Amino acid sequence: MIPPRTVTPQMQSGIPVDKDPGVCSAVSDDPAVGANGIGRQLAGSQTRQAVSSAAHRTLPGAPSWGRVLATTVSLWVGRRTARRRHPRLALVLAVCVVVAAAAVVSVVQVSGTSSRTASASRPHAVPPAWARGAAGAVRTQAATWVASQLSSAETVGCDPLMCAALRAHGVAASRLVPVTSGAADADVVVASPSAAGQQSAPVLLAGFGSGASLVEVRAAPPGGSAAYQRAVAADLAARRSAGAQLLHSQRIVVAGPAAAQLQAGQVDSRLLIMLAMLASQHPWRVAGFAGTSPGVPLTEAPFREVTITGPDAGDLAASLTMVRAQRSPYQPARVAIVRLPGGQTALRIDFAAPSPLGLLTGGASG
């Protein structure tokens, strides 16, 4: 004989029910609700109303998947309720499903609104006047070169748009001289060939772009154009002679393109003198030359940067200190210990433009 089961107030048909008021506490304790028919109707009705209400709160133009979700949940609850002997437990599950579905719809609504709001609040950045179009791209190239390659002691003449580009690239406003008419009272002029002030600056230091977008960096030699050309020729001959001497040195190893560049006089006089000084302390190997001036032949604007390898880490640091201690015109714009792609450490020395003439012949001119 099977003993009768005793159902406690916290049990329904022998199955414990957690009556935590914070979780699915919307279930009524009214016995009438426990009838199978009423339980199914109430579960289906609450499911459709809750999910449909949440679906209507979604963004305008959202797909009708909210209604599909409501119908699916309602049918699922009906089937599950019909199979169970415990309608109040089925009702608890139904209400929990409704709450979860409403939470999903609310999250979609909030994230969609946030996404649209963020997208609408991001205005399109309008480039400044100096950076627009093909001419703006050329100004950017010229300003980048002036900021990184030109000596910080040089004053720069420029038109309003070019001056704005130079300021944007870090050139101090105190160095900029607006070009209006006649000769510019500046060491170099950065402008188009037809701009005021360019006619009085015959020495081309660098050129960018072409045609109507052409921007040139020019300087006025102290002794005039003819004297400058004679100085250029003499300096080229002196650089070729000094380069040949370095190639025959037992303490400087130069191979490949770098050797041909030394022999052709395409290396700045300051680099040649610096290499000879460093070779008196340690043997070195030239990894390569760099630092050109766009639009100007190397015979007039030679390489101003060198990368060399050789000593161990301690000697490399000592050589770095010695190079940094040099004074003008032998003080580099930048000098640092760098790591080459193969992992070897090297010393990189970079001098600013323009290259001075006469350092090797005793007639230095900046």
Side-chain angles (χ1 to χ4, degrees):
M1 180 173 180
I2 301 174
R5 289 186 298 178
T6 303
V7 181
T8 64
Q10 297 296 325
M11 302 281 289
Q12 293 182 1
S13 303
I15 301 176
V17 178
D18 192 356
K19 291 297 292 296
D20 185 353
V23 181
C24 300
S25 59
V27 180
S28 172
D29 289 331
D30 188 351
V33 180
N36 288 341
I38 298 177
R40 286 194 297 270
Q41 291 176 4
L42 179 58
S45 173
Q46 289 183 348
T47 301
R48 284 191 297 271
Q49 290 177 4
V51 179
S52 298
S53 174
H56 286 308
R57 293 195 302 269
T58 57
L59 294 172
S64 59
W65 63 269
R67 297 180 180 275
V68 175
L69 178 61
T71 304
T72 303
V73 172
S74 176
L75 293 175
W76 178 84
V77 170
R79 287 196 300 269
R80 299 295 293 180
T81 304
R83 293 176 186 174
R84 291 182 177 274
R85 297 180 180 179
H86 313 294
R88 294 187 65 187
L89 177 59
L91 184 58
V92 171
L93 294 176
V95 174
C96 289
V97 171
V98 170
V99 172
V104 171
V105 174
S106 299
V107 168
V108 172
Q109 177 183 5
V110 171
S111 61
T113 304
S114 301
S115 173
R116 293 193 178 187
T117 303
S119 176
S121 62
R122 270 199 306 266
H124 294 289
V126 178
W130 62 264
R132 297 174 191 169
V138 175
R139 290 191 196 96
T140 298
Q141 296 173 10
T144 301
W145 187 87
V146 170
S148 61
Q149 300 295 318
L150 198 65
S151 171
S152 59
E154 304 282 348
T155 56
V156 183
C158 47
D159 58 51
L161 290 177
M162 193 66 236
C163 285
L166 290 168
R167 286 194 299 270
H169 284 78
V171 179
S174 58
R175 294 176 54 198
L176 303 180
V177 180
V179 176
T180 53
S181 60
D185 187 17
D187 297 318
V188 298
V189 178
V190 185
S192 64
S194 59
Q198 288 289 53
Q199 293 76 12
S200 60
V203 179
L204 180 63
L205 301 180
F208 306 89
S210 60
S213 300
L214 178 62
V215 173
E216 293 180 337
V217 183
R218 288 184 170 271
S225 182
Y228 174 79
Q229 293 301 327
R230 289 193 298 269
V232 167
D235 197 73
L236 175 60
R239 295 199 306 269
R240 286 172 175 168
S241 176
Q245 293 179 36
L246 286 176
L247 287 173
H248 289 89
S249 172
Q250 299 300 316
R251 299 177 68 83
I252 293 285
V253 178
V254 188
Q261 292 158 357
L262 270 177
Q263 193 170 14
Q266 297 175 350
V267 179
D268 188 287
S269 300
R270 295 166 294 183
L271 285 182
L272 298 174
I273 295 171
M274 185 67 68
L275 286 174
M277 181 189 69
L278 291 172
S280 67
Q281 305 294 320
H282 305 284
W284 296 89
R285 180 182 182 86
V286 175
F289 296 107
T292 60
S293 300
V296 185
L298 288 169
T299 53
E300 297 182 17
F303 291 109
R304 293 173 284 99
E305 178 186 301
V306 67
T307 302
I308 53 179
T309 62
D312 56 30
D315 292 335
L316 204 63
S319 298
L320 172 67
T321 302
M322 183 172 65
V323 173
R324 283 179 172 170
Q326 300 303 307
R327 296 184 178 182
S328 179
Y330 303 107
Q331 186 176 41
R334 286 167 294 275
V335 56
I337 296 175
V338 298
R339 189 173 296 278
L340 301 181
Q344 187 177 13
T345 54
L347 184 65
R348 180 165 294 163
I349 305 169
D350 183 10
F351 284 98
S355 298
L357 302 175
L359 292 179
L360 297 170
T361 60
S365 64

